[in-house]
Amino acid sequence: MTTSHPFHLSQTRRSFVGLSAAAFGALALSSCGSGAGEEIDAEAQSVGAMEDYAADTQFTAAEPFEVSMLWTDWPEVPVEDSWRIFDLIKELTNVDITLTHIPFSDATEKRSLLISAGDAPTLIPLVYTGEDSPFVSSGAVVPLSDYADKMPNFQKYVEEWELGEMINNLKQADGKYYMMPGLQEVSVPVFSLVIRKDVFEEVTGAVPNTWEEVHEGLKLIKEKYPDSVPLADGFEAQSMLNYAAHGFGTKAGWGFGDGAVEGADGTLVYAATTDEYKQLVEFFRGLVEDGLLDKESLTDSNDGSGAAGVDEKFAKETCFAASGSSGTAIEFATALEETVGEGNFSVALIPPPAGPAGDMVEPRNFWHGFMLSSEITKSENFLATLQFVDWLYFNPDARDMLRWGEKDVTYTKSDDGTIELDDEYSLDDYALNADGETDIKTDLGFSTFPAESTESRALKESYSTPEFVQYIDDVLATRTPRDPFPPTPMDETELEQASLLATPIKDAVDTATLQFIMGERDMSEWDAFVAELEAAGVDRYLELLNTARERFVEANG
């Protein structure tokens, strides 16, 4: 079985509303200019466009044209000349996709360089909220909010899935947004705690619901399995801190974003300076001190495949709980089948445990979407391109195709919406049809990153295990999403100032957080750590964020 990582892990840390440190850093690479310019009349550049294009209809260009696309290469899933996906898209739409490749290892930096040099292809995917900010003032990318009326599928599902307020929060300082996000009908944390359910139930009598119950359960498991270090992360601590932080009333890890949280007086404060963040750090430090949290799994590099060998520890029964997604749970189960034997264990992804702040989980989120290079506004195919990307990203049939392949060839869909792979085909990432001779991902190019972006609940459940469907139900029934984090869109001058502050401050937070958790720095030095952030300019940084937020509230209510 191939390594399971259905949600590409490096980008997950940026899947939250708010400008990330990565986006601040990209500012230095973005081009300078006089702004996005005047709105273009797309109707006047309509070669290839459909006159009767509408939501839930097949887009087929009136005349063939090309769309260039930026493609991130994951080492274990190289693009093959034999991939069916691009030929099928051309047959359906009359659009030929041509690829510009960038490596996974430094995809964000390579993307920024291409955009700043004016060499970016038309379609720029794998863009998370906030990552359009560095390119606003230069006019390097299209203000897509100006053309949302040309995208009927986008409009329909924003309304049906009640995402309008979230879309409003995408606005930059000029009142426009420059990326179209991936839309999710239901939003639950992708990553949480994957546990050996059978062991927890045997040793503790129940699946843990809170972090304190996790702590107590791990101690009992350690007593029964003394050679184990029962809890691991596998994602450089970024995953566990992310989903745990919400129960502590803060944000951390992948979800740290711009670092801003609301203080008691309603103004923004820096998360890492708060008592809630300190309490989060102290909790995980205690797990390390008790020999319950695998320090190696907090430091091993995440190359994009994730898990950092934790599956082997699961297989050897030296680990019984770890960070992961639904795909990670499948990976752990596959490893256990080789050692413990099929039917002799139960692995489950459980809702993020509740903490001192209650049963809170991350705010309802978008997933990765796209930007368009502003060069497309000069093309006679501009309107047709808008229609094409609207179909590709938001049309239900297109979403089925990107995930499952060719209808009535690789898969069938019944009247009740049930999707089944043909026996000849497999999807190893989800352990589907293991005996199929052709994997629809590695052999045909389906179920790669474009498939992740927009999903109805039915599509999400179509490839998920019953256990993950149960996870969705459990999270929706027992957990409370936090309110969206306040938008802080900045103008060009503010971004330049913030970019000089954000990265070194965040680097200091990441370093110190691990030092405290690993026991390499005494908690008596916490005040000194906060003073280090103040010396690095965190107060000035917060002033920039609060100014931007106040301006956004005045403009948008």
Side-chain angles (χ1 to χ4, degrees), residues 14-47:
R14 299 191 297 274
S15 61
F16 293 80
V17 174
L19 187 60
S20 68
F24 279 131
L27 178 64
L29 299 173
S30 61
S31 58
C32 297
S34 59
E38 296 181 2
E39 184 176 343
I40 306 297
D41 181 9
E43 295 289 344
Q45 296 164 246
S46 59
V47 174

mmCIF file of all heavy atoms in Angstrom, residues 14-47:
data_model
loop_
_atom_site.group_PDB
_atom_site.id
_atom_site.type_symbol
_atom_site.label_atom_id
_atom_site.label_comp_id
_atom_site.label_asym_id
_atom_site.label_seq_id
_atom_site.Cartn_x
_atom_site.Cartn_y
_atom_site.Cartn_z
ATOM 1 N N ARG A 14 -1.527 26.429 6.716
ATOM 2 C CA ARG A 14 -1.972 27.726 6.235
ATOM 3 C C ARG A 14 -3.438 27.715 5.844
ATOM 4 O O ARG A 14 -3.893 28.587 5.122
ATOM 5 C CB ARG A 14 -1.112 28.159 5.048
ATOM 6 C CG ARG A 14 0.340 28.305 5.413
ATOM 7 C CD ARG A 14 1.118 28.990 4.310
ATOM 8 N NE ARG A 14 1.135 28.222 3.088
ATOM 9 C CZ ARG A 14 2.013 27.263 2.831
ATOM 10 N NH1 ARG A 14 2.919 26.942 3.722
ATOM 11 N NH2 ARG A 14 1.987 26.614 1.679
ATOM 12 N N SER A 15 -4.186 26.761 6.326
ATOM 13 C CA SER A 15 -5.568 26.639 5.866
ATOM 14 C C SER A 15 -6.552 27.376 6.773
ATOM 15 O O SER A 15 -7.681 26.964 6.936
ATOM 16 C CB SER A 15 -5.959 25.157 5.799
ATOM 17 O OG SER A 15 -5.873 24.559 7.064
ATOM 18 N N PHE A 16 -6.105 28.469 7.356
ATOM 19 C CA PHE A 16 -6.951 29.230 8.256
ATOM 20 C C PHE A 16 -7.057 30.670 7.778
ATOM 21 O O PHE A 16 -6.141 31.214 7.178
ATOM 22 C CB PHE A 16 -6.379 29.214 9.683
ATOM 23 C CG PHE A 16 -6.419 27.850 10.291
ATOM 24 C CD1 PHE A 16 -5.461 26.900 9.974
ATOM 25 C CD2 PHE A 16 -7.438 27.493 11.152
ATOM 26 C CE1 PHE A 16 -5.511 25.640 10.524
ATOM 27 C CE2 PHE A 16 -7.493 26.228 11.697
ATOM 28 C CZ PHE A 16 -6.524 25.298 11.384
ATOM 29 N N VAL A 17 -8.199 31.308 8.060
ATOM 30 C CA VAL A 17 -8.372 32.699 7.692
ATOM 31 C C VAL A 17 -7.326 33.541 8.419
ATOM 32 O O VAL A 17 -7.100 33.387 9.604
ATOM 33 C CB VAL A 17 -9.784 33.190 8.061
ATOM 34 C CG1 VAL A 17 -9.917 34.673 7.815
ATOM 35 C CG2 VAL A 17 -10.817 32.419 7.252
ATOM 36 N N GLY A 18 -6.700 34.452 7.690
ATOM 37 C CA GLY A 18 -5.684 35.310 8.286
ATOM 38 C C GLY A 18 -4.371 35.172 7.553
ATOM 39 O O GLY A 18 -4.034 34.105 7.057
ATOM 40 N N LEU A 19 -3.603 36.236 7.518
ATOM 41 C CA LEU A 19 -2.354 36.236 6.775
ATOM 42 C C LEU A 19 -1.300 35.469 7.542
ATOM 43 O O LEU A 19 -1.016 35.749 8.695
ATOM 44 C CB LEU A 19 -1.899 37.673 6.546
ATOM 45 C CG LEU A 19 -0.697 37.872 5.649
ATOM 46 C CD1 LEU A 19 -0.985 37.321 4.257
ATOM 47 C CD2 LEU A 19 -0.364 39.352 5.567
ATOM 48 N N SER A 20 -0.699 34.485 6.916
ATOM 49 C CA SER A 20 0.282 33.636 7.576
ATOM 50 C C SER A 20 1.665 34.242 7.493
ATOM 51 O O SER A 20 1.950 35.119 6.695
ATOM 52 C CB SER A 20 0.303 32.260 6.917
ATOM 53 O OG SER A 20 0.811 32.350 5.610
ATOM 54 N N ALA A 21 2.576 33.731 8.311
ATOM 55 C CA ALA A 21 3.962 34.163 8.240
ATOM 56 C C ALA A 21 4.552 33.843 6.885
ATOM 57 O O ALA A 21 5.384 34.589 6.359
ATOM 58 C CB ALA A 21 4.763 33.488 9.352
ATOM 59 N N ALA A 22 4.110 32.725 6.296
ATOM 60 C CA ALA A 22 4.609 32.371 4.967
ATOM 61 C C ALA A 22 4.214 33.425 3.941
ATOM 62 O O ALA A 22 4.991 33.783 3.062
ATOM 63 C CB ALA A 22 4.061 31.003 4.552
ATOM 64 N N ALA A 23 2.991 33.933 4.065
ATOM 65 C CA ALA A 23 2.558 34.966 3.132
ATOM 66 C C ALA A 23 3.316 36.266 3.360
ATOM 67 O O ALA A 23 3.678 36.972 2.419
ATOM 68 C CB ALA A 23 1.059 35.211 3.271
ATOM 69 N N PHE A 24 3.583 36.613 4.626
ATOM 70 C CA PHE A 24 4.395 37.794 4.901
ATOM 71 C C PHE A 24 5.771 37.651 4.247
ATOM 72 O O PHE A 24 6.287 38.568 3.634
ATOM 73 C CB PHE A 24 4.582 37.982 6.416
ATOM 74 C CG PHE A 24 3.427 38.646 7.096
ATOM 75 C CD1 PHE A 24 2.888 38.097 8.243
ATOM 76 C CD2 PHE A 24 2.891 39.824 6.603
ATOM 77 C CE1 PHE A 24 1.840 38.713 8.883
ATOM 78 C CE2 PHE A 24 1.833 40.443 7.248
ATOM 79 C CZ PHE A 24 1.307 39.890 8.394
ATOM 80 N N GLY A 25 6.363 36.455 4.405
ATOM 81 C CA GLY A 25 7.677 36.231 3.844
ATOM 82 C C GLY A 25 7.688 36.349 2.340
ATOM 83 O O GLY A 25 8.665 36.803 1.737
ATOM 84 N N ALA A 26 6.594 35.942 1.717
ATOM 85 C CA ALA A 26 6.513 36.002 0.261
ATOM 86 C C ALA A 26 6.456 37.441 -0.246
ATOM 87 O O ALA A 26 6.745 37.705 -1.409
ATOM 88 C CB ALA A 26 5.281 35.249 -0.231
ATOM 89 N N LEU A 27 6.105 38.371 0.645
ATOM 90 C CA LEU A 27 6.000 39.759 0.219
ATOM 91 C C LEU A 27 7.297 40.257 -0.384
ATOM 92 O O LEU A 27 7.312 40.998 -1.364
ATOM 93 C CB LEU A 27 5.611 40.652 1.406
ATOM 94 C CG LEU A 27 5.511 42.155 1.118
ATOM 95 C CD1 LEU A 27 4.391 42.414 0.133
ATOM 96 C CD2 LEU A 27 5.317 42.933 2.387
ATOM 97 N N ALA A 28 8.419 39.825 0.188
ATOM 98 C CA ALA A 28 9.705 40.282 -0.297
ATOM 99 C C ALA A 28 9.973 39.824 -1.723
ATOM 100 O O ALA A 28 10.781 40.416 -2.433
ATOM 101 C CB ALA A 28 10.814 39.775 0.624
ATOM 102 N N LEU A 29 9.280 38.752 -2.133
ATOM 103 C CA LEU A 29 9.486 38.207 -3.462
ATOM 104 C C LEU A 29 8.499 38.763 -4.474
ATOM 105 O O LEU A 29 8.675 38.595 -5.677
ATOM 106 C CB LEU A 29 9.351 36.679 -3.421
ATOM 107 C CG LEU A 29 10.340 35.944 -2.522
ATOM 108 C CD1 LEU A 29 9.960 34.480 -2.462
ATOM 109 C CD2 LEU A 29 11.755 36.109 -3.037
ATOM 110 N N SER A 30 7.444 39.425 -4.004
ATOM 111 C CA SER A 30 6.404 39.866 -4.924
ATOM 112 C C SER A 30 6.832 41.136 -5.638
ATOM 113 O O SER A 30 7.634 41.920 -5.144
ATOM 114 C CB SER A 30 5.094 40.112 -4.165
ATOM 115 O OG SER A 30 5.257 41.113 -3.204
ATOM 116 N N SER A 31 6.273 41.329 -6.791
ATOM 117 C CA SER A 31 6.671 42.474 -7.600
ATOM 118 C C SER A 31 6.006 43.746 -7.109
ATOM 119 O O SER A 31 4.995 43.722 -6.422
ATOM 120 C CB SER A 31 6.291 42.230 -9.060
ATOM 121 O OG SER A 31 4.907 41.991 -9.180
ATOM 122 N N CYS A 32 6.599 44.863 -7.467
ATOM 123 C CA CYS A 32 6.040 46.157 -7.103
ATOM 124 C C CYS A 32 5.295 46.736 -8.292
ATOM 125 O O CYS A 32 5.643 46.507 -9.436
ATOM 126 C CB CYS A 32 7.151 47.114 -6.683
ATOM 127 S SG CYS A 32 8.039 46.570 -5.206
ATOM 128 N N GLY A 33 4.280 47.503 -8.015
ATOM 129 C CA GLY A 33 3.515 48.081 -9.109
ATOM 130 C C GLY A 33 2.544 49.102 -8.580
ATOM 131 O O GLY A 33 2.548 49.447 -7.406
ATOM 132 N N SER A 34 1.685 49.537 -9.436
ATOM 133 C CA SER A 34 0.780 50.628 -9.085
ATOM 134 C C SER A 34 -0.591 50.149 -8.709
ATOM 135 O O SER A 34 -1.496 50.930 -8.506
ATOM 136 C CB SER A 34 0.697 51.600 -10.272
ATOM 137 O OG SER A 34 0.228 50.931 -11.423
ATOM 138 N N GLY A 35 -0.771 48.822 -8.601
ATOM 139 C CA GLY A 35 -2.070 48.316 -8.189
ATOM 140 C C GLY A 35 -2.705 47.483 -9.263
ATOM 141 O O GLY A 35 -2.170 47.293 -10.345
ATOM 142 N N ALA A 36 -3.896 46.978 -8.955
ATOM 143 C CA ALA A 36 -4.559 46.034 -9.841
ATOM 144 C C ALA A 36 -5.135 46.703 -11.080
ATOM 145 O O ALA A 36 -5.456 46.053 -12.052
ATOM 146 C CB ALA A 36 -5.666 45.309 -9.081
ATOM 147 N N GLY A 37 -5.281 48.022 -11.058
ATOM 148 C CA GLY A 37 -5.800 48.705 -12.246
ATOM 149 C C GLY A 37 -7.308 48.641 -12.325
ATOM 150 O O GLY A 37 -7.996 48.181 -11.420
ATOM 151 N N GLU A 38 -7.850 49.102 -13.442
ATOM 152 C CA GLU A 38 -9.287 49.152 -13.610
ATOM 153 C C GLU A 38 -9.836 47.780 -13.971
ATOM 154 O O GLU A 38 -9.159 46.954 -14.556
ATOM 155 C CB GLU A 38 -9.637 50.154 -14.708
ATOM 156 C CG GLU A 38 -9.244 51.597 -14.361
ATOM 157 C CD GLU A 38 -9.631 52.562 -15.457
ATOM 158 O OE1 GLU A 38 -10.240 52.112 -16.458
ATOM 159 O OE2 GLU A 38 -9.343 53.751 -15.319
ATOM 160 N N GLU A 39 -11.098 47.577 -13.622
ATOM 161 C CA GLU A 39 -11.760 46.322 -13.944
ATOM 162 C C GLU A 39 -11.864 46.158 -15.458
ATOM 163 O O GLU A 39 -12.152 47.092 -16.196
ATOM 164 C CB GLU A 39 -13.145 46.302 -13.314
ATOM 165 C CG GLU A 39 -13.883 44.983 -13.520
ATOM 166 C CD GLU A 39 -15.215 44.961 -12.806
ATOM 167 O OE1 GLU A 39 -15.420 45.804 -11.904
ATOM 168 O OE2 GLU A 39 -16.052 44.107 -13.156
ATOM 169 N N ILE A 40 -11.617 44.936 -15.893
ATOM 170 C CA ILE A 40 -11.683 44.602 -17.314
ATOM 171 C C ILE A 40 -13.102 44.149 -17.652
ATOM 172 O O ILE A 40 -13.766 43.507 -16.847
ATOM 173 C CB ILE A 40 -10.681 43.482 -17.644
ATOM 174 C CG1 ILE A 40 -9.275 43.864 -17.172
ATOM 175 C CG2 ILE A 40 -10.694 43.147 -19.128
ATOM 176 C CD1 ILE A 40 -8.696 45.079 -17.840
ATOM 177 N N ASP A 41 -13.549 44.461 -18.837
ATOM 178 C CA ASP A 41 -14.840 43.984 -19.310
ATOM 179 C C ASP A 41 -14.642 42.591 -19.899
ATOM 180 O O ASP A 41 -14.269 42.442 -21.059
ATOM 181 C CB ASP A 41 -15.419 44.932 -20.355
ATOM 182 C CG ASP A 41 -16.785 44.460 -20.858
ATOM 183 O OD1 ASP A 41 -17.347 43.509 -20.284
ATOM 184 O OD2 ASP A 41 -17.273 45.044 -21.849
ATOM 185 N N ALA A 42 -14.882 41.564 -19.088
ATOM 186 C CA ALA A 42 -14.642 40.194 -19.532
ATOM 187 C C ALA A 42 -15.526 39.816 -20.721
ATOM 188 O O ALA A 42 -15.133 39.000 -21.564
ATOM 189 C CB ALA A 42 -14.881 39.221 -18.376
ATOM 190 N N GLU A 43 -16.703 40.413 -20.796
ATOM 191 C CA GLU A 43 -17.621 40.083 -21.887
ATOM 192 C C GLU A 43 -17.037 40.455 -23.255
ATOM 193 O O GLU A 43 -17.414 39.892 -24.276
ATOM 194 C CB GLU A 43 -18.960 40.796 -21.685
ATOM 195 C CG GLU A 43 -19.728 40.355 -20.446
ATOM 196 C CD GLU A 43 -20.294 38.948 -20.566
ATOM 197 O OE1 GLU A 43 -20.348 38.441 -21.702
ATOM 198 O OE2 GLU A 43 -20.664 38.373 -19.524
ATOM 199 N N ALA A 44 -16.113 41.416 -23.251
ATOM 200 C CA ALA A 44 -15.508 41.842 -24.506
ATOM 201 C C ALA A 44 -14.344 40.951 -24.921
ATOM 202 O O ALA A 44 -13.781 41.118 -25.997
ATOM 203 C CB ALA A 44 -15.029 43.287 -24.387
ATOM 204 N N GLN A 45 -13.982 40.013 -24.046
ATOM 205 C CA GLN A 45 -12.873 39.082 -24.323
ATOM 206 C C GLN A 45 -13.416 37.669 -24.158
ATOM 207 O O GLN A 45 -13.013 36.929 -23.274
ATOM 208 C CB GLN A 45 -11.715 39.357 -23.370
ATOM 209 C CG GLN A 45 -11.102 40.727 -23.548
ATOM 210 C CD GLN A 45 -10.237 41.153 -22.370
ATOM 211 O OE1 GLN A 45 -10.559 42.093 -21.659
ATOM 212 N NE2 GLN A 45 -9.135 40.457 -22.155
ATOM 213 N N SER A 46 -14.349 37.313 -25.031
ATOM 214 C CA SER A 46 -15.179 36.125 -24.816
ATOM 215 C C SER A 46 -14.961 35.010 -25.831
ATOM 216 O O SER A 46 -15.803 34.116 -25.954
ATOM 217 C CB SER A 46 -16.652 36.531 -24.833
ATOM 218 O OG SER A 46 -16.983 37.127 -26.085
ATOM 219 N N VAL A 47 -13.831 35.024 -26.520
ATOM 220 C CA VAL A 47 -13.564 33.942 -27.477
ATOM 221 C C VAL A 47 -13.504 32.613 -26.731
ATOM 222 O O VAL A 47 -12.808 32.472 -25.729
ATOM 223 C CB VAL A 47 -12.246 34.194 -28.235
ATOM 224 C CG1 VAL A 47 -11.906 32.993 -29.124
ATOM 225 C CG2 VAL A 47 -12.340 35.467 -29.063
#
